[in-house]
Amino acid sequence: MQVVHAPSSPLHCFRSSNLQFKGLLPSENASISFTFHCSVHRQIRQRITWPPYNKSISRSRTARAASVEAGASALSSGTAESDVLKALSQIIDPDFGTDIVSCGFVKDLQIDEALGEVSFRLELTTPACPIKDMFEQKANEVVAMLPWVKNVAVTMSAQPARPKYSGQLPAGLQTISNIVAVSSCKGGVGKSTVAVNLAYTLADMGARVGVFDADVYGPSLPTMVSPENRLLEMNPEKKTIIPTEYLGVKLVSFGFAGQGRAIMRGPMVSGVIDQLLTTTEWGELDYLVIDMPPGTGDIQLTLCQVVPLTAAVIVTTPQKLAFIDVAKGVRMFSKLKVPCVAVVENMCHFDADGKRYYPFGRGSGSQVVQQFGIPHLFDLPIRPTLSASGDSGMPEVVADPRGEVSKTFQDLGICIVQQCAKIRQQVSTAVTYDKAAKAIRVKVPDSDEEFFLHPATVRRNDRSAQSVDEWTGEQKLQYVDVPEDIEPEEIRPMGNYAVSITWPDGFNQITPYDQLQTMERLVDVCGLIPAWT
């Protein structure tokens, strides 16, 4: 049975009312077990041993084989490798809930058992991993405890920026891993302050970060940061925009275009934002933070549709009026399938004479969390320094990296890193094709439901202009035009809301998750899976 595996995490769960599958991709020479359950009365087990795949390990073993008997050396090194991987599998990644070996983090494992030396690399999903130091320390400890090990060398790295759907994006966005929108839908609540300080917090955690100021009418970025070069430059050959930088963070704002603030109609503004965002040479970024403009109009919808937003952070204040506007924004993101992962309640309180005061009341942020099911809430106090840093050109987390405000932003940064990792994992495995069952497996993010679709059914339900007449609604693609045995050639995520399916005839079908959930489903998938002897 062949399963389409996600590159970011090799742990897969495959369940339906009739089928359960758990598979663990092997690391090196490890043995694994597959278990299938087709009804409560039937169970088939098969044990598979995978051949070694790491060439560097193979070369190391060849060198050692010159001094000892070849057969004994191979057996010994295989046992040593198994010992190391077993030791490392004790370390659990709290985001994915499984061990780092299963997650595929262990790379370039090399063993010299004669000298007692072990070296390997831990490749994490982001350089901003908040527990990377813990991973490195624990990896050293657990391997060093093996009785034959005398020296352990661990190096840390992170996966390069690679969006799950880069082929469908403008060139400037193809090397950005995560795009996070910071929104309030109401002006004056500190949204730009949160966006800028979050960006510099992520950069301090080790990530490559950019900030895009999407407010053309009143750009805040030129006031909040002080780059040496305050004008955007154009690459004359590529006709692309070169962002400015401040303290290692790439910056783009209409305020850096030499125009100040825009006076133009909405459609023109949408075009300017699209050009600024998609033609910029962002390079490889782990996180692009977008400071969204207030409101839920054309500009916001353009951003959400043009850009594959990974997640959104909602900024509010304790007043009831702020909650009403924020609720509109949360509903907009919900319709566009952008997960809201955190709420930041700004200007909550201040301390004086040993007491804490709440001048604007309490509960707006909690109300957003409870009503819309957003998992994390962060409070920011009223601080003169926070406001002053926004006007001085140096973010608060840079000016006072150990202060109370910086600690809150560090917690927010950790939350963003963890939630983005989970979202990317869910999206990468939401829709896959099982060749053995000849069925498309669907497990929509944030849903426990899992079901299977016949490929021909999916192809026949295409609603694009090539299949349905846009004016009359007449079905141009006929039932008989699609063969029953058709199989998809490739399935790729499209943001958080749809997948792109490439068929053998070259047709590229964009299918939203909502549409997949309405299609006729396969009931007895077990009958499609061949029995093994």
Side-chain angles (χ1 to χ4, degrees):
M1 176 178 180
Q2 182 177 354
V3 179
V4 180
H5 296 292
S8 59
S9 176
L11 182 66
H12 301 274
C13 293
F14 199 20
R15 297 189 185 90
S16 74
S17 57
N18 297 320
L19 174 69
Q20 184 183 57
F21 162 73
K22 287 190 177 180
L24 187 63
L25 280 182
S27 293
E28 316 296 335
N29 213 19
S31 296
I32 59 174
S33 295
F34 290 84
T35 302
F36 294 82
H37 299 278
C38 293
S39 82
V40 293
H41 301 293
R42 178 182 173 196
Q43 181 174 350
I44 306 173
R45 295 182 183 269
Q46 181 177 33
R47 190 167 184 84
I48 303 175
T49 301
W50 294 75
Y53 65 90
N54 192 313
K55 294 182 179 179
S56 62
I57 298 174
S58 181
R59 288 194 296 269
S60 176
R61 291 173 182 161
T62 303
R64 292 199 305 273
S67 59
V68 293
E69 189 177 354
S73 175
L75 180 61
S76 176
S77 61
T79 304
E81 179 184 325
S82 178
D83 289 345
V84 172
L85 293 174
K86 184 177 181 181
L88 291 172
S89 66
Q90 301 174 56
I91 305 173
I92 305 298
D93 185 308
D95 295 334
F96 296 132
T98 190
D99 64 271
I100 62 173
V101 176
S102 303
C103 286
F105 293 169
V106 181
K107 308 287 185 181
D108 303 332
L109 176 61
Q110 297 191 44
I111 300 172
D112 191 327
E113 193 174 359
L115 298 177
E117 295 180 349
V118 177
S119 66
F120 55 89
R121 175 169 56 91
L122 293 183
E123 185 183 72
L124 306 180
T125 57
T126 171
C129 177
I131 53 174
K132 57 187 174 184
D133 293 337
M134 184 274 285
F135 277 150
E136 183 176 6
Q137 178 185 346
K138 292 292 292 182
N140 267 295
E141 291 177 357
V142 296
V143 176
M145 291 177 65
L146 295 173
W148 55 270
V149 173
K150 298 177 182 178
N151 184 42
V152 183
V154 183
T155 56
M156 306 296 292
S157 66
Q159 295 176 7
R162 50 181 185 187
K164 298 294 182 186
Y165 27 82
S166 59
Q168 306 292 326
L169 297 178
L173 303 179
Q174 289 187 7
T175 52
I176 301 174
S177 291
N178 302 282
I179 302 179
V180 180
V182 179
S183 176
S184 67
C185 300
K186 179 176 177 60
V189 300
K191 169 180 51 60
S192 296
T193 299
V194 171
V196 170
N197 281 278
L198 171 60
Y200 280 90
T201 298
L202 291 170
D204 185 62
M205 294 169 67
R208 297 161 295 184
V209 184
V211 180
F212 179 69
D213 183 357
D215 193 345
V216 171
Y217 292 118
S220 303
L221 202 56
T223 303
M224 304 192 72
V225 294
S226 305
E228 217 174 287
N229 182 9
R230 298 187 65 83
L231 286 176
L232 298 174
E233 297 179 1
M234 177 73 75
N235 185 322
E237 295 180 1
K238 298 181 180 179
K239 304 296 183 184
T240 54
I241 298 170
I242 301 173
T244 187
E245 284 192 29
Y246 178 62
L247 300 178
V249 175
K250 296 183 178 181
L251 311 167
V252 171
S253 170
F254 189 73
F256 292 138
Q259 302 294 324
R261 302 184 178 199
I263 303 175
M264 60 182 76
R265 293 187 181 274
M268 293 178 64
V269 173
S270 297
V272 169
I273 288 177
D274 190 358
Q275 183 180 8
L276 283 173
L277 180 59
T278 60
T279 62
T280 293
E281 294 182 14
W282 292 106
E284 290 196 349
L285 294 182
D286 300 297
Y287 301 92
L288 176 62
V289 178
I290 298 183
D291 181 7
M292 298 283 286
T296 54
D298 288 344
I299 301 172
Q300 291 77 12
L301 291 174
T302 297
L303 280 168
C304 291
Q305 291 170 346
V306 169
V307 181
L309 297 175
T310 308
V313 176
I314 304 299
V315 183
T316 185
T317 52
Q319 298 97 324
K320 182 178 180 181
L321 186 59
F323 169 78
I324 293 173
D325 288 339
V326 164
K328 296 177 184 177
V330 174
R331 293 189 182 100
M332 176 189 73
F333 285 123
S334 177
K335 287 183 178 180
L336 296 169
K337 306 300 182 184
V338 178
C340 295
V341 297
V343 174
V344 178
E345 189 173 26
N346 194 20
M347 297 181 279
C348 284
H349 53 76
F350 67 89
D351 296 330
D353 301 326
K355 295 182 180 180
R356 176 157 291 184
Y357 297 90
Y358 297 84
F360 303 120
R362 304 176 67 174
S364 174
S366 300
Q367 192 174 357
V368 175
V369 170
Q370 293 170 5
Q371 183 166 331
F372 298 103
I374 301 175
H376 302 96
L377 174 64
F378 300 89
D379 296 339
L380 286 175
I382 299 173
R383 283 289 174 84
T385 55
L386 184 57
S387 176
S389 64
D391 296 333
S392 68
M394 181 177 288
E396 173 74 359
V397 296
V398 176
D400 185 14
R402 297 188 178 182
E404 180 186 355
V405 171
S406 294
K407 178 62 171 65
T408 300
F409 276 108
Q410 287 168 9
D411 293 340
L412 175 62
I414 291 172
C415 169
I416 296 303
V417 169
Q418 293 174 334
Q419 293 299 313
C420 285
K422 288 180 181 179
I423 290 168
R424 285 170 61 82
Q425 169 65 11
Q426 290 175 344
V427 168
S428 68
T429 58
V431 181
T432 55
Y433 181 63
D434 176 22
K435 281 185 172 292
K438 295 188 181 301
I440 294 176
R441 166 189 171 273
V442 182
K443 188 178 189 304
V444 177
D446 295 325
S447 171
D448 294 330
E449 183 184 29
E450 185 177 71
F451 55 90
F452 298 86
L453 302 173
H454 195 286
T457 300
V458 176
R459 179 67 179 86
R460 289 167 181 149
N461 276 275
D462 176 57
R463 307 303 300 169
S464 69
Q466 294 189 39
S467 303
V468 179
D469 190 291
E470 293 182 284
W471 295 100
T472 65
E474 180 184 355
Q475 187 75 34
K476 295 160 61 176
L477 178 70
Q478 300 302 314
Y479 187 92
V480 294
D481 295 337
V482 180
E484 282 294 319
D485 60 350
I486 192 171
E487 297 184 59
E489 290 188 344
E490 185 181 13
I491 299 178
R492 300 187 307 275
M494 290 288 294
N496 298 315
Y497 71 96
V499 290
S500 170
I501 305 175
T502 302
W503 299 99
D505 59 1
F507 180 69
N508 189 43
Q509 179 179 352
I510 308 298
T511 308
Y513 294 147
D514 290 347
Q515 185 183 357
L516 290 172
Q517 290 176 306
T518 63
M519 295 182 189
E520 182 181 1
R521 304 177 182 184
L522 292 172
V523 178
D524 186 15
V525 183
C526 270
L528 299 174
I529 297 180
W532 284 314
T533 57

